[in-house]
């Protein structure tokens, strides 16, 4: 009779070993030897991470200290903010866990090997689930921690606040992971196996709705405008509006709030509720996984047949106009994008962000501003160019940066074709430039129309965007080529790492520099306009030089990252 | 015609391909055999422009791969051993993509795509996503794509991997037809019977060096040192050659 494999917590550790080893963690605790280059990169990333953490802590502490000094309202504002943070944190954990559960439990490439192992499904599930939970939660928890620590320091919390804070965060992460994985496990059973990826579409819609509902629930504009309320009592009442009793984030709020204010004799009651719920849900999920995981996984193995999106975009129209490699690659990009439902969720999120972005400008109480409206409108319009550029950067990081990595192992097709890497990269550049330029120009023009800016400001902002977008797309495609990840399972994974971080930093520096260079001349021209006078010769030279330097920077940023990316990609493929 | 001159590839301290000199004539079917890690795939990658050689060069129908890569690549149809494709395209869309990439006129590309899809038994799968294809179907789709622009040189890395017996017979027949029409085929394979059945000449690569070259008949003769006896199969020749080369390396 064949020997049965042992099933124990040790087996769980064994299943997690490949992941731990890939992180360089060995049984004897020693780390892998890193090359100097890799080591420097790790140090830079760690330093940036620490700086970012410190920045969040400093800002949180300053804001909370400011709140604390406002009589009557200060504490209420701070605790309303805490409630908002916890709702947001819990929502974020749910989002990221849903995506992690789908990838880790049903879509990962190594699952075939894992499922061939002589182990019960619930154990495989537990190992994969644990990995997915840690992957999706660690950044959210790490970067929310400085805010909670700032609360502890500003409110002079007792020492027990800090372990309670840690346990609260971990419990929230476990509850979010258990609920998300449970929902995914059930959804996979209901949705026909050949359409497993359609689940992403459903999730996209859910994400969109949750985001909007959360946003409306928070009602952030009321916090900044107490005068809009009929009475102070109504304002206080709004601030003290209770959260839902059934939301784990409400229990987390109560646990932290009662510890911070030393309000009750039993601050641990809410924590106990959180911990017991986390434990019970995890147990329930493993129990359910023993029955539901394998049937769902088995269904997910049937590949999709009829391509979704074929009806939406056949590309025949485009083929009639242009033929050759540029059409071939552009069509391939569009078709692959439209048929990858994982990308659709991102589109929904972008739509939500755009709606919120425009809503914010529409809701601006310009008429109650203490300074002259025409100045404020044009100042906001100028700042809006920066904001729209940063939105563009975030979108480019998600879509244009992984453009080269998206070729994955099929990159050999491009390498073997009679097409230079340079031309290939410029075709990619053009394919992403058009939609991103359209999106950013629409954002800027619509907000300018909402702000009713002067024609001069409208021209300046549209021209600046016309130059910034090619620069940012070039940085994204170029750096994406310089730091490709052809093994990435999703475009989002390709965008993480050193290359993605470098892109975000360089794009921020680029946008900041050109805006600073443009700010002075724009102010000078506008002031002269308001005063009804011409620019003097000295001013004209200064304006000309600033705009000239900006133009040189724009052109350099359009050309050099692409060249560098081409060189690095050529070396990488050797 | 393929010409490899002093072709060398060095990775760090390892010489994957060592001073390889070879000429493959027009309409010839050349077989490249050797144990795992002999340098066959590295050679093929250099021939197709996927890798730059450390030293030496590759010429395809007179075009230098280093100086005129686009012209040289236009002459080649490449069939790799692992069928990595764009999973989100349908079979027909993939062929249309390849047609555009190699500059085939759209109407001609469509006609040829239908011909090859039918020929390889993929016509009814043409509108399905590549991600739904089996390994063998992907391999057949890659073959259709490699032949779409009617290349004068076909470079094939392990052509029979993942194919069913009827597809293997079909591919053998196709290769003979192509060479009869003047297409040069350079084929790397582990299936010695395929090499023996098809190839005009065979080169044996071992640790990056060409240790034997000739027709299957010539190889069978030259392996038995000083004897008139002829080996019965290419398998025996292969074992003897690689064993001799291995012991010479260790001596």
């Amino acid at each position: 009779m064949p020997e049965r494999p042992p099933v124990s917590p040790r087996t769980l550790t064994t299943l997690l070993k490949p992941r731990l080893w890939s992180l360089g963690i060995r049984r004897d605790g020693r780390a892998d030897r890193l090359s100097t280059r890799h080591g420097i990169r790790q140090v830079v990333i760690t330093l940036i991470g620490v700086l970012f953490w410190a920045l969040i802590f400093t800002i949180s502490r300053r804001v909370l200290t400011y709140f604390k000094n406002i009589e009557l309202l200060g504490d209420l504002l701070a605790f309303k903010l805490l409630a908002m943070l916890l709702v947001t944190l819990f929502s974020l954990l749910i989002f990221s866990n849903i995506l992690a559960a789908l990838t880790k439990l049903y879509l990962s490439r190594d699952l075939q090997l894992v499922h061939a192992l002589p182990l019960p499904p619930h154990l495989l599930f537990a190992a994969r689930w644990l990995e997915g939970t840690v992957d999706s939660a660690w950044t959210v928890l790490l970067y929310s921690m400085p805010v909670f620590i700032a609360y502890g320091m500003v409110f002079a919390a007792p020492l027990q606040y800090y372990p309670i804070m840690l346990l609260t965060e971990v419990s929230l992460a476990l509850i979010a992971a258990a609920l998300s994985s449970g929902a995914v496990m059930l959804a996979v059973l209901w949705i026909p196996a050949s359409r497993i990826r359609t689940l992403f579409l459903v999730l996209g819609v859910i994400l969109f709705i949750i985001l909007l509902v959360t946003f409306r629930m928070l009602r952030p504009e009321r916090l900044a405008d107490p005068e809009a309320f009929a009475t102070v009592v109504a304002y206080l009442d709004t601030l003290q509006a209770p959260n839902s009793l059934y939301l784990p984030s409400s229990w987390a709020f109560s646990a932290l709030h009662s510890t911070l204010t030393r309000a009750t004799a039993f601050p641990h009651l809410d924590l106990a509720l959180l911990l017991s719920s986390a434990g019970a849900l995890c147990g329930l999920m493993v129990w359910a996984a023993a029955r539901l995981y394998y049937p769902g996984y088995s269904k997910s193995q049937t590949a999709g047949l009829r391509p979704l999106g074929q009806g939406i975009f056949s590309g025949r129209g485009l083929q009639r106009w242009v033929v050759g490699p540029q059409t071939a690659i552009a069509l391939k990009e569009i078709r692959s994008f439209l048929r990858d439902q994982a990308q659709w969720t991102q589109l929904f999120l972008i739509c939500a962000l755009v709606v919120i972005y425009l809503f914010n400008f529409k809701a601006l109480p310009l008429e109650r501003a203490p300074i002259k409206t025409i100045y404020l409108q044009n100042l906001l319009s100028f700042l809006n160019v920066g904001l729209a550029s940063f939105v563009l950067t975030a979108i480019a990081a998600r879509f244009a940066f992984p453009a080269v990595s998206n070729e994955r192992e099929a990159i050999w097709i491009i390498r073997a074709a009679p097409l230079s890497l340079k031309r290939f990269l410029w075709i990619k550049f053009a394919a992403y430039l058009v939609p991103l330029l359209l999106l950013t120009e629409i954002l800027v023009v619509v907000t300018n129309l909402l702000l009713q800016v002067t024609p001069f400001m409208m021209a300046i902002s549209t021209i600046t965007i016309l130059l910034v977008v090619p620069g940012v797309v070039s940085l994204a495609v170029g750096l994406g080529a310089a730091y490709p990840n052809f093994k990435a399972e999703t475009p989002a994974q390709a965008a993480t790492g050193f290359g993605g971080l470098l892109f975000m930093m360089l794009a921020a520096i680029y946008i900041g520099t050109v805006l600073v260079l443009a700010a002075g001349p724009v102010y000078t021209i506008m002031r002269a306009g308001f005063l009804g006078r011409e620019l003097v010769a000295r001013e004209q030279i200064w304006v000309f030089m600033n705009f000239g330097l900006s133009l040189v920077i724009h052109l350099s940023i359009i050309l050099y990252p692409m060249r560098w990316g081409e060189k690095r990609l050529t070396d990488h493929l050797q | 015609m393929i010409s490899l001159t002093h072709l060398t590839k060095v990775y760090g301290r390892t010489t994957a391909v060592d001073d390889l000199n070879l000429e493959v004539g027009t309409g010839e079917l050349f077989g490249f055999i050797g144990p795992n890690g002999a340098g066959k795939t590295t050679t093929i990658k250099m021939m197709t422009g996927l890798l730059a050689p450390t030293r030496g060069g590759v010429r395809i129908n007179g075009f230098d791969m280093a100086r005129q890569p686009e012209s040289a690549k236009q002459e080649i149809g490449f069939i790799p051993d692992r069928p990595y494709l764009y999973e989100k395209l349908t079979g027909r869309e993939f062929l249309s993509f390849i047609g555009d990439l190699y500059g085939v006129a759209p109407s001609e590309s469509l006609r040829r795509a239908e011909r090859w899809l039918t020929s390889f038994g993929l016509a009814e799968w043409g509108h399905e996503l590549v991600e739904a294809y089996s390994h063998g179907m992907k391999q057949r789709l890659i073959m259709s794509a490699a032949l779409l622009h009617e290349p004068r040189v076909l470079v094939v890395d392990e052509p029979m991997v993942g194919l069913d017996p009827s597809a293997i017979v079909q591919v053998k027949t196709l290769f003979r037809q192509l060479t009869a029409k003047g297409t040069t085929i350079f084929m790397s394979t582990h299936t010695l019977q395929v090499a023996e059945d098809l190839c005009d000449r065979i080169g044996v690569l071992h640790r990056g060096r060409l240790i034997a070259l000739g027709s299957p008949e010539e190889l069978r003769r030259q392996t038995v040192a000083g004897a008139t006896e002829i080996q019965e199969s290419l398998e025996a020749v292969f074992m003897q050659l690689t064993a001799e080369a291995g012991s010479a390396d260790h001596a």
Side-chain angles (χ1 to χ4, degrees):
Chain A
M1 212 177 143
E3 198 181 328
R4 275 182 69 83
V7 176
S8 67
R10 237 179 118 176
T11 324
L12 193 67
T13 323
T14 309
L15 283 169
L16 290 169
K17 268 182 187 169
R19 184 60 198 271
L20 296 174
W21 286 343
S22 72
L23 293 172
I25 301 163
R26 304 281 176 206
R27 195 177 180 180
D28 55 7
R30 72 184 162 81
D32 280 342
R33 277 199 308 167
L34 300 171
S35 67
T36 316
R37 200 169 161 184
H38 191 71
I40 291 169
R41 187 185 292 186
Q42 290 290 87
V43 170
V44 171
I45 290 178
T46 311
L47 268 177
I48 292 168
V50 170
L51 280 175
F52 193 55
W53 199 95
L55 187 73
I56 296 175
F57 175 72
T58 312
I59 293 172
S60 306
R61 204 175 161 187
R62 288 196 71 166
V63 169
L64 290 172
T65 311
Y66 172 73
F67 280 170
K68 192 95 178 81
N69 292 331
I70 305 172
E71 275 184 48
L72 286 171
L73 285 178
D75 282 6
L76 286 171
L77 278 171
F79 288 122
K80 184 69 183 174
L81 189 67
L82 182 64
M84 285 175 175
L85 277 173
L86 286 163
V87 171
T88 314
L89 182 74
F90 191 61
S91 312
L92 275 175
L93 287 168
I94 293 262
F95 299 160
S96 53
N97 268 301
I98 285 175
L99 293 174
L102 260 172
T103 312
K104 291 277 173 194
L105 297 170
Y106 296 98
L107 301 172
S108 229
R109 282 188 229 173
D110 61 338
L111 278 169
Q112 286 192 1
L113 177 71
V114 172
H115 276 273
L117 295 172
L119 291 170
H122 69 274
L123 201 66
L124 298 178
F125 174 89
R128 307 291 297 195
W129 176 79
L130 208 59
E131 212 182 308
T133 304
V134 173
D135 278 359
S136 58
W138 77 269
T139 40
V140 180
L141 296 187
L142 185 69
Y143 287 102
S144 61
M145 214 171 273
V147 184
F148 295 120
I149 293 175
Y151 266 97
M153 293 177 77
V154 171
F155 283 85
L159 211 58
Q160 59 167 338
Y161 167 79
Y162 298 97
I164 288 176
M165 174 199 83
L166 270 178
L167 288 172
T168 303
E169 286 214 77
V170 172
S171 309
L172 268 186
L174 287 174
I175 292 171
L179 290 174
S180 311
S181 310
V184 168
M185 219 163 19
L186 288 173
V188 166
L189 285 178
W190 286 335
I191 291 175
S194 60
R195 289 276 182 250
I196 170 89
R197 283 169 181 83
T198 311
L199 196 58
F200 278 117
L201 175 63
V202 180
L203 290 175
V205 178
I206 295 170
L207 281 176
F208 182 67
I209 294 166
I210 292 177
L211 195 75
L212 280 182
V213 170
T214 310
F215 183 73
R216 288 317 306 155
M217 270 173 63
L218 298 178
R219 294 197 285 180
E221 70 275 11
R222 293 194 174 204
L223 281 177
D225 188 18
E227 286 168 21
F229 292 80
T231 62
V232 174
V233 175
Y235 184 59
L236 292 177
D237 186 48
T238 307
L239 288 176
Q240 286 174 312
N243 292 310
S244 168
L245 282 174
Y246 300 105
L247 267 180
S249 56
S250 303
W251 310 336
F253 172 75
S254 301
L256 296 179
H257 179 259
S258 56
T259 319
L260 280 169
T261 55
R262 303 162 203 246
T264 61
F266 304 103
H268 306 310
L269 203 63
D270 292 298
L271 182 67
L273 187 59
L274 269 175
L275 287 171
S276 57
S277 302
L281 279 171
C282 290
L284 185 70
M285 202 189 46
V286 174
W287 176 83
R291 285 144 191 87
L292 302 177
Y293 177 47
Y294 183 70
Y297 170 73
S298 179
K299 276 190 171 187
S300 73
Q301 292 311 291
T302 316
L305 293 176
R306 291 281 162 196
L308 276 166
Q310 196 173 17
I312 300 169
F313 184 78
S314 71
R316 286 189 200 101
L318 187 59
Q319 267 174 318
R320 242 179 260 135
W321 290 95
V322 208
V323 288
Q326 54 273 29
T327 318
I329 293 169
L331 271 178
K332 193 264 293 172
E333 290 289 307
I334 299 167
R335 282 170 173 155
S336 300
F337 181 84
L338 290 176
R339 288 169 193 171
D340 187 354
Q341 281 91 330
Q343 303 274 34
W344 293 16
T345 54
Q346 309 287 328
L347 275 184
F348 281 115
L349 283 175
I350 288 173
C351 289
L353 282 175
V354 168
V355 168
I356 291 168
Y357 188 93
L358 296 175
F359 177 80
N360 283 345
F361 275 87
K362 196 171 184 302
L364 279 174
L366 289 175
E367 66 285 354
R368 289 203 299 274
I371 54 174
K372 208 175 165 186
T373 307
I374 195 153
Y375 283 115
L376 192 63
Q377 282 166 325
N378 288 289
L379 174 70
L380 283 172
S381 167
F382 189 77
L383 290 176
N384 181 39
V385 173
L387 271 179
S389 303
F390 285 119
V391 170
L392 162 78
T393 306
I395 296 173
R398 179 59 190 75
F399 294 105
F401 183 85
V404 173
S405 300
N406 283 351
E407 295 291 315
R408 297 166 75 169
E409 280 110 332
I411 187 72
W412 71 267
I413 297 169
I414 301 297
R415 294 284 286 142
L419 177 80
S420 66
L421 274 182
K422 182 180 177 181
R423 196 170 168 203
F424 164 70
L425 290 181
W426 281 108
I427 294 172
K428 286 263 180 186
F429 169 85
Y432 286 91
L433 175 69
V434 175
L436 289 175
L437 185 62
L438 271 174
L439 175 77
T440 324
E441 286 288 11
I442 288 171
L443 266 186
V444 167
V445 170
V446 172
T447 41
N448 276 350
L449 290 174
L450 288 171
L451 290 168
Q452 298 171 335
V453 298
T454 57
F456 170 73
M457 257 337 279
M458 180 67 98
I460 279 288
S461 28
T462 46
I463 292 169
T464 309
I465 287 297
L466 196 67
L467 291 165
V468 164
V469 177
V472 171
V473 174
S474 164
L475 265 174
V477 175
L479 288 175
Y483 296 95
N485 181 0
F486 295 117
K487 304 276 181 198
E489 295 202 8
T490 60
Q493 198 184 338
T496 53
F498 184 73
L501 189 69
L502 191 64
F503 161 69
M504 295 294 280
M505 283 164 53
L506 289 178
I509 293 169
Y510 162 56
I511 294 164
T513 309
V514 292
L515 283 181
V516 166
L517 277 173
V522 167
Y523 177 72
T524 308
I525 295 169
M526 284 200 67
R527 197 182 53 178
F530 291 138
L531 296 174
R533 66 167 176 85
E534 296 288 313
L535 290 181
V536 295
R538 186 178 49 84
E539 286 174 331
Q540 281 179 1
I541 293 168
W542 184 62
V543 166
F544 182 77
M545 278 178 64
N546 270 29
F547 281 143
L549 187 58
S550 285
L551 194 64
V552 170
I553 292 174
H554 285 303
L555 291 176
S556 309
I557 291 289
I558 292 169
L559 291 176
Y560 286 108
M562 293 292 284
R563 278 191 201 166
W564 190 60
E566 182 202 338
K567 192 183 168 302
R568 290 261 314 188
L569 183 62
T570 309
D571 293 344
H572 178 90
L573 292 169
Q574 291 305 314
Chain B
M1 183 185 153
I2 302 166
S3 173
L4 311 180
T5 318
H6 301 296
L7 195 65
T8 305
K9 183 71 186 178
V10 181
Y11 294 108
R13 290 180 187 173
T14 310
T15 304
V17 178
D18 191 1
D19 199 33
L20 183 62
N21 290 287
L22 189 66
E23 296 272 333
V24 181
T26 305
E28 185 180 357
L29 206 163
F30 184 85
F32 210 37
I33 62 174
N36 292 331
K40 301 188 296 293
T41 299
T42 304
T43 306
I44 280 182
K45 282 185 173 173
M46 287 191 283
M47 285 169 61
T48 51
L50 298 179
L51 270 183
T54 310
R55 282 186 296 279
V58 174
R59 292 184 84 84
I60 306 288
N61 284 339
F63 295 110
D64 189 314
M65 186 56 84
R67 292 191 186 133
Q68 304 150 285
E70 287 162 42
S71 305
K73 286 174 183 177
Q74 186 70 43
E75 298 289 310
I76 300 175
F78 175 43
I79 303 169
D81 57 341
R82 278 180 285 184
Y84 292 122
L85 295 165
Y86 297 117
E87 305 272 310
K88 294 289 175 193
L89 297 187
T90 66
R92 280 194 174 82
E93 285 169 353
F94 178 68
L95 292 182
S96 163
F97 169 77
I98 292 292
D100 281 346
L101 219 52
Y102 282 82
V104 182
S107 58
E108 184 60 20
S109 173
L110 200 67
R111 193 183 64 75
R112 289 183 198 171
E114 286 310 317
R115 191 180 102 206
W116 287 118
L117 285 174
T118 308
S119 173
F120 281 108
L122 292 172
E124 62 182 289
W125 286 84
H127 286 302
E128 307 298 349
L129 291 185
V130 170
E131 69 184 5
Y133 286 23
S134 69
H135 183 94
M137 287 162 73
K138 285 180 184 172
Q139 197 68 12
R140 281 182 276 157
L141 184 64
I142 285 187
M143 287 189 183
S144 306
L147 295 165
L148 196 82
H149 67 290
E150 297 185 341
R152 291 163 67 196
V153 172
L154 196 62
V155 179
V156 195
D157 197 358
E158 294 296 346
M160 309 308 178
V161 174
L163 295 183
D164 59 38
S166 68
I168 291 176
V169 172
Q170 189 190 357
V171 169
K172 282 182 175 178
T173 313
L174 175 70
F175 282 4
R176 283 200 193 97
Q177 287 170 348
L178 287 170
T179 48
K181 286 179 190 167
T183 306
T184 306
I185 300 181
F186 186 100
M187 179 177 75
S188 148
T189 183
H190 277 121
T191 322
L192 300 178
Q193 192 58 51
V194 171
E196 195 163 15
D197 290 350
L198 284 178
C199 298
D200 301 313
R201 276 194 310 154
I202 291 170
V204 184
L205 198 70
H206 186 63
R207 294 187 181 162
R209 277 178 294 138
L210 195 65
I211 56 169
L213 179 68
S215 67
E217 184 72 16
E218 286 167 345
L219 285 184
R220 281 201 290 267
R221 284 179 194 283
Q222 75 185 48
T223 47
V224 185
T228 51
E229 188 190 344
I230 297 172
Q231 292 279 14
E232 280 183 9
S233 70
L234 197 59
E235 198 172 295
V237 174
F238 178 81
M239 297 301 285
Q240 191 179 337
L241 279 170
T242 50
E244 279 172 8
S247 53
D249 283 345
H250 285 109

